Amino acid sequence: TEGGERRDGTAGHPTAGSARPPAGDPPAGAATGGVLAGLPPGVHRLTVTVPDGRTARAHLIVAPDRLPAPAVRSHGLLVQLYSLLSRRSWGMGDLGDLGELAAWAGRALGSGFVQVNPLHAAVPGAPTDPSPYRPSSRRFPDPVHLRIEDVPEFAYVADPGRARTLRERAGRLRESVLENGALIDRDAVWALKREALELLREVPLGPGRRAAYCDYLAEQGTALEDHATWCALAEVHGPDWHRWPEGLRDPRSAATDRARTELMDRVDFHSRLAWLTDTQLRAAQHTAREAGMPVGIIHDLAVGVHPRGADSWAQQEYFATGMSVGAPPDAFNARGQDWGLPPWRPDRLAASGYAPFRDLLRGLFRYAGALRIDHVMGLFRLWWVPEGHPPTEGTYVHYDAEAMLAVLVLEASRAGAVVIGEDLGTVEPGVREALRARGVLGTSVLWFERDWEGDGRPLAPERWRSDCLATATTHDLPSTAARLTGEHVELRDRLGLLTRPLERERAEASADTAEWLEVLARLGLLPGSPGDTGAPSEEAGIQAVHRFLLRTPARLTGVWLPDAVGDRRPQNLPGTWDQYPNWRLPVADAAGRPVTLEELAASPRLHALFDVVRAHSEG
């Protein structure tokens, strides 16, 4: 079991696969006769020896049948953490803000969870790619999210004047965003925090803290050493490991061993940053549960990693060289998409007993009450695009979905965590059914929930699936206020993104919204009588949308935090790069004025919405 070995003299052919103890038949080709009965959950190595002495091995993943459903139905908040600034932030939202939000939402709003964007480590360098979905590493978090003042050693820095200066500079950076209309500048935030962390490192750890750090180093082992080594080498040779001296491109080479020794001080620095961030992430989850949240913090797992980052260097044997993940042509994008993310090789994953996937999940579940998996269809197949070719010349490559799901269920069940799959868009037949059978929740967004197999009308609330997270929008979609007012169409027109005449786009969007408003009115979810022809206020429309969501049987209902204060702007506008400030906007009110965490907590508009949410949740 997981590093151990089980031997069996039964003749046959070994097979890598998964099993669900104790009921059910073993995988085809596996040894029979009760050999697999009673195996505990885990990843086992099966060794088969035939009479002539030949031996073969395979991995066997033993996982529960399914994950249990969330114990209770609950509502919660969805937010991009960087966008949530408090009066204590250093220019972007941080883990201190996350803890405050969770404590307040759990106690004051009765929320069951807070879902955030991926907090994976980013590729360093200016300008840093602001997208949280193209990380350097998915295995380790980004220290840019640290609340510096919450690091115990901050109180004991040898130069308090320098620390005070850093906090003053951070205050100016924060005010530039909150008061002067500046965009969130991740690079400027990191420059300040890095300087502070270098200062903190001069403070010796106390005995208890030292012991905790040593435990973390031992738990994370080679994976952390690789990550910290990559960070140290990137400081010397730049963030693109393909351009490093040839010997350093191999994490297992003698040259890399020598460099690791020479850079031991920097390797320790980056290892400590990973530990500090992990500590604050676990503290945020603890705070959420203490506040009464049955789920707590929902973290987001990006679909892949940056081709020049730490994971692609340290785990390069598991990535397909010269390939990128994307999407085939569809009705919305005739050219297809290339996301620039190298895919995992399914054959190498299977040969390792899915070790990279297991380790990734285990690391995230250290501090996640639930995990959202971006593009969960990637557990089944991914669109591979050869380097130098357009997405139209890609092809689907399939993964062993049974094995991938078994690993997912195994690790989530060990952590007692919920799993949510982002299954929007084109979904292969059978995928949603397979996910539901294993207890993985789906994602349902109101505007897309129509009777596509019938008349195409909005789907009645009682016909929604229960095993899902139901929301009005996501980080890639217009805010609810923008959709209700049609401002999302005007924005795309101003940026030159429309492929059809503006009037046609306006008419189609207006008709779609009007159809949903008619449904809301007919169900008595909008103020006034069902026959009232007057257009509702945008705030009343947002409240009605959430009344509808809470009428569905969805186990989890998410409120996009910017919706609670009438924010018009999307956090990300697909199809844009420098035309729109993706991933750099603070939460703002209907007039575009940034709203702090403290102001959110006191917002009459937010509390009016959550009065509606609580009333329908309790009802």
Side-chain angles (χ1 to χ4, degrees):
T1 61
E2 292 203 296
E5 208 168 83
R6 181 183 181 100
R7 292 190 174 274
D8 169 42
T10 307
H13 299 284
T15 299
S18 63
R20 308 176 188 179
D25 297 328
T32 58
V35 172
L36 305 182
L39 281 179
V43 179
H44 306 263
R45 285 192 304 178
L46 201 64
T47 300
V48 178
T49 304
V50 295
D52 64 7
R54 287 178 298 152
T55 299
R57 294 178 176 85
H59 291 89
L60 181 68
I61 303 164
V62 182
D65 275 332
R66 58 179 287 121
L67 292 169
V72 295
R73 291 186 67 199
S74 62
H75 61 80
L77 296 168
L78 317 178
V79 65
Q80 301 283 290
L81 180 57
Y82 60 82
S83 72
L84 181 70
L85 280 74
S86 72
R87 288 295 175 185
R88 297 179 180 177
S89 306
W90 284 28
M92 62 182 278
D94 60 34
L95 293 173
D97 297 320
L98 178 58
E100 286 284 353
L101 177 67
W104 167 71
R107 297 178 191 278
L109 304 181
S111 296
F113 60 88
V114 174
Q115 179 183 301
V116 295
N117 53 287
L119 304 184
H120 310 317
V123 177
T128 300
D129 186 340
S131 172
Y133 291 93
R134 278 171 59 84
S136 171
S137 173
R138 297 188 295 176
R139 298 184 296 171
F140 294 98
D142 198 316
V144 75
H145 300 111
L146 282 168
R147 168 67 62 83
I148 298 295
E149 295 90 336
D150 287 353
V151 178
E153 288 73 34
F154 188 75
Y156 304 101
V157 295
D159 187 350
R162 187 176 167 198
R164 185 169 54 254
T165 299
L166 284 170
R167 293 184 67 175
E168 290 171 355
R169 290 166 57 194
R172 291 193 292 272
L173 190 58
R174 176 179 61 246
E175 295 309 311
S176 70
V177 176
L178 295 177
E179 306 296 340
N180 301 326
L183 297 175
I184 292 169
D185 187 342
R186 184 193 180 283
D187 292 331
V189 173
W190 176 233
L192 281 177
K193 290 192 177 183
R194 184 189 181 104
E195 191 173 340
L197 290 164
E198 297 281 5
L199 191 63
L200 285 175
R201 187 164 175 265
E202 299 172 5
V203 180
L205 296 175
R209 294 270 289 167
R210 168 62 61 182
Y213 178 42
C214 290
D215 281 351
Y216 180 76
L217 292 174
E219 289 167 1
Q220 300 304 312
T222 301
L224 176 59
E225 186 176 59
D226 284 344
H227 176 71
T229 299
W230 183 90
C231 293
L233 288 170
E235 290 179 338
V236 178
H237 300 288
D240 185 355
W241 62 268
H242 296 89
R243 298 184 179 182
W244 291 356
E246 186 172 354
L248 299 180
R249 297 174 200 168
D250 179 359
R252 306 290 167 249
S253 71
T256 298
D257 282 342
R258 287 192 299 271
R260 183 182 292 117
T261 300
E262 294 167 359
L263 297 170
M264 188 176 300
D265 184 65
R266 302 309 297 167
V267 172
D268 178 70
F269 174 70
H270 291 288
S271 297
R272 188 180 295 197
L273 297 194
W275 168 62
L276 292 175
T277 313
D278 178 89
T279 299
Q280 290 194 6
L281 283 162
R282 287 187 289 117
Q285 172 62 6
H286 179 73
T287 296
R289 297 304 295 269
E290 275 198 329
M293 288 187 168
V295 176
I297 310 300
I298 301 178
H299 284 276
D300 198 347
L301 174 61
V303 70
V305 297
H306 200 287
R308 298 192 296 273
D311 282 2
S312 67
W313 174 75
Q315 295 184 322
Q316 54 192 274
E317 70 269 28
Y318 295 110
F319 288 99
T321 303
M323 292 289 173
S324 176
V325 174
D330 57 28
F332 300 100
N333 195 326
R335 298 179 181 178
Q337 300 176 54
D338 185 343
W339 301 335
L341 308 171
W344 267 338
R345 286 181 52 162
D347 57 336
R348 296 281 175 83
L349 284 179
S352 71
Y354 293 86
F357 190 41
R358 286 187 279 137
D359 293 343
L360 170 61
L361 293 173
R362 194 171 301 143
L364 291 166
F365 283 131
R366 284 173 60 87
Y367 45 76
L371 185 64
R372 173 192 180 270
I373 300 180
D374 189 44
H375 192 71
V376 72
M377 296 80 79
L379 299 180
F380 296 77
R381 67 179 186 179
L382 284 171
W383 185 257
W384 285 23
V385 180
E387 185 177 346
H389 292 259
T392 52
E393 296 181 17
T395 189
Y396 275 119
V397 174
H398 286 258
Y399 292 76
D400 186 338
E402 183 183 6
M404 298 283 276
L405 285 172
V407 170
L408 178 61
V409 171
L410 173 65
E411 296 300 338
S413 63
R414 285 172 164 172
V418 175
V419 178
I420 302 160
E422 188 266 305
D423 56 351
L424 303 174
T426 303
V427 183
E428 185 182 11
V431 167
R432 289 194 175 104
E433 293 76 9
L435 293 170
R436 183 171 60 246
R438 301 310 296 265
V440 177
L441 304 182
T443 302
S444 293
V445 178
L446 179 128
W447 310 98
F448 302 153
E449 290 297 312
R450 291 176 171 271
D451 183 8
W452 298 114
E453 296 180 359
D455 58 11
R457 297 271 300 165
L459 202 62
E462 65 272 11
R463 293 183 59 193
W464 283 42
R465 53 182 173 172
S466 62
D467 49 337
C468 75
L469 165 64
T471 71
T473 189
T474 74
H475 58 267
D476 282 334
L477 296 172
S479 69
T480 306
R483 192 177 288 272
L484 289 170
T485 59
E487 291 179 36
H488 63 304
V489 176
E490 305 301 326
L491 173 62
R492 294 182 65 82
D493 178 57
R494 287 197 302 273
L495 296 176
L497 298 177
L498 297 182
T499 57
R500 299 184 298 176
L502 173 60
E503 290 307 317
R504 183 177 175 185
E505 292 279 357
R506 277 180 182 156
E508 188 171 297
S510 177
D512 182 80
T513 301
E515 192 172 25
W516 274 103
L517 289 174
E518 188 276 327
V519 170
L520 297 175
R522 179 164 40 82
L523 293 174
L525 303 178
L526 271 171
S529 66
D532 189 352
T533 58
S537 72
E538 160 259 309
E539 183 177 354
I542 292 175
Q543 292 179 3
V545 162
H546 288 87
R547 289 188 184 99
F548 181 98
L549 292 175
L550 289 158
R551 276 205 182 183
T552 74
R555 297 189 182 277
L556 302 177
T557 302
V559 178
W560 177 238
L561 186 57
D563 274 350
V565 288
D567 199 343
R568 261 50 173 180
R569 307 165 307 173
Q571 281 294 313
N572 178 51
L573 189 58
T576 63
W577 178 246
D578 55 1
Q579 309 102 303
Y580 185 80
N582 296 316
W583 317 112
R584 288 173 287 171
L585 294 171
V587 175
D589 62 17
R593 185 186 68 85
V595 180
T596 66
L597 174 57
E598 293 85 355
E599 290 169 331
L600 279 164
S603 166
R605 177 166 176 158
L606 182 147
H607 282 281
L609 175 59
F610 274 89
D611 285 344
V612 167
V613 169
R614 281 197 301 271
H616 282 73
S617 297
E618 294 165 1

